[in-house]
Amino acid sequence: PMTVEVDDLVVRHAPDRPAALDGVSLTLAPGRRVAVVGPSGAGKSTLISALMRFVDPESGTITLGGTDIRELSPDDVRERVTGLTQDPYVFSASLRDNLRLAGPGADDAALGEALRRARLDRWAERVGWDTPLGEDGRTLSGGQLQRLALARALLCAPPVLVLDEPAEALDEETADALMADLLDATHGHTTLLVTHRLRGLDQVDEILVLENGRITQRGPHAVLAAEP
Ligand code: ADP
Ligand code: ADP
């Protein structure tokens, strides 16, 4: 378990540009889920880039488990923070094999074939998978791709999970179903969820509204959803 602390973060992409993040602070405590919600251009991608150390701040700090991110090597950061992209890649193999290839620890050969299969099937079930696992991964819909990516990530038990607009390109109904499944599957897992829609976030612990690089509101879903 690892706490993420973001303190007064300022990120500027170019000297002549306004700050993309302009004094953002947040705490992600172990096992908690925080959603950052904001319109296009608000700074959501920039926040994710900073958390994965793709960009360095102009000022302010990010600490992961108490260590300043600038003192961590890229490998150390990757071990601590797993980001799920909007367009996850899949191997041209069965879904079960896609889960097997997730990384170290995903496929314990000592378990024997039947137990290994059962274990992968359980992970698929956990993320709301509803098609047979033998199917080829290349034919998946956007929602199923996100479920596969999440199962792969959770199999590796990352200390911190960052979800980037998982329901981005989906129609309303598919997006609602996906968000419900993702929130069920990440329960108790330290997660930062970045999205432009407030809808369906009733399960998260805290919602931060990001606008023009600043957090303008924060609170639980019931409070923010009631705003006019
Ligand atoms: P969001 O993810 O909420 O849409 P972004 O973080 O992508 O917001 O963008 C925040 C602001 O920073 C926007 O004004 C955007 O144009 C700018 N920006 C983002 N990435 C870059 C970049 N690599 N170079 C220059 N400006 C950028
Ligand atoms: P999203 O809203 O999905 O984050 P964006 O269009 O904001 O997508 O950004 C897509 C990519 O383009 C990101 O990697 C972002 O950093 C980069 N980007 C966004 N705005 C700019 C910009 N003004 N100049 C250069 N790169 C940018």
Side-chain angles (χ1 to χ4, degrees):
M2 186 170 300
T3 300
V4 180
E5 286 272 10
V6 175
D7 187 32
D8 207 10
L9 195 70
V10 177
V11 175
R12 198 181 300 275
H13 289 289
D16 58 338
R17 304 259 312 175
L21 293 177
D22 192 9
V24 167
S25 300
L26 65 93
T27 301
L28 182 57
R32 307 282 280 180
R33 293 177 300 174
V34 171
V36 173
V37 180
S40 182
K44 304 185 299 296
S45 300
T46 302
L47 178 61
I48 291 178
S49 298
L51 285 171
M52 304 200 68
R53 227 202 138 179
F54 296 144
V55 295
D56 276 331
E58 177 175 295
S59 62
T61 52
I62 298 175
T63 58
L64 302 176
T67 306
D68 192 305
I69 197 170
R70 282 167 292 198
E71 287 161 23
L72 296 170
S73 71
D75 280 352
D76 288 339
V77 175
R78 295 293 87 76
E79 260 170 38
R80 288 169 167 78
V81 182
T82 292
L84 257 61
T85 59
Q86 288 167 18
D87 303 301
Y89 63 87
V90 290
F91 300 110
S92 68
S94 75
L95 298 174
R96 204 177 264 123
D97 283 339
N98 266 280
L99 291 178
R100 278 200 172 128
L101 294 165
D107 194 29
D108 184 354
L111 283 177
E113 181 59 17
L115 279 176
R116 287 157 72 197
R117 274 174 174 257
R119 182 166 176 267
L120 297 178
D121 289 355
R122 237 184 0 262
W123 279 100
E125 198 179 313
R126 188 170 157 189
V127 297
W129 196 270
D130 61 6
T131 43
L133 263 185
E135 201 177 291
D136 192 314
R138 288 165 303 182
T139 59
L140 296 178
S141 67
Q144 291 299 72
L145 267 179
Q146 286 293 331
R147 288 180 176 85
L148 169 62
L150 181 64
R152 274 196 310 219
L154 290 172
L155 264 165
C156 300
V160 178
L161 196 60
V162 175
L163 307 180
D164 182 10
E165 297 269 12
E168 177 68 348
L170 308 176
D171 64 74
E172 284 274 293
E173 198 182 327
T174 315
D176 287 347
L178 176 67
M179 289 302 287
D181 284 344
L182 296 193
L183 288 172
D184 283 344
T186 55
H187 194 267
H189 202 102
T190 315
T191 306
L192 187 82
L193 168 65
V194 167
T195 170
H196 66 276
R197 60 208 284 284
L198 191 55
R199 204 175 140 124
L201 297 181
D202 44 305
Q203 280 197 60
V204 304
D205 296 297
E206 190 183 20
I207 297 172
L208 310 178
V209 178
L210 186 66
E211 291 170 294
N212 288 319
R214 293 168 187 266
I215 291 171
T216 52
Q217 291 182 81
R218 58 175 81 205
H221 183 263
V223 172
L224 295 183
E227 302 270 323

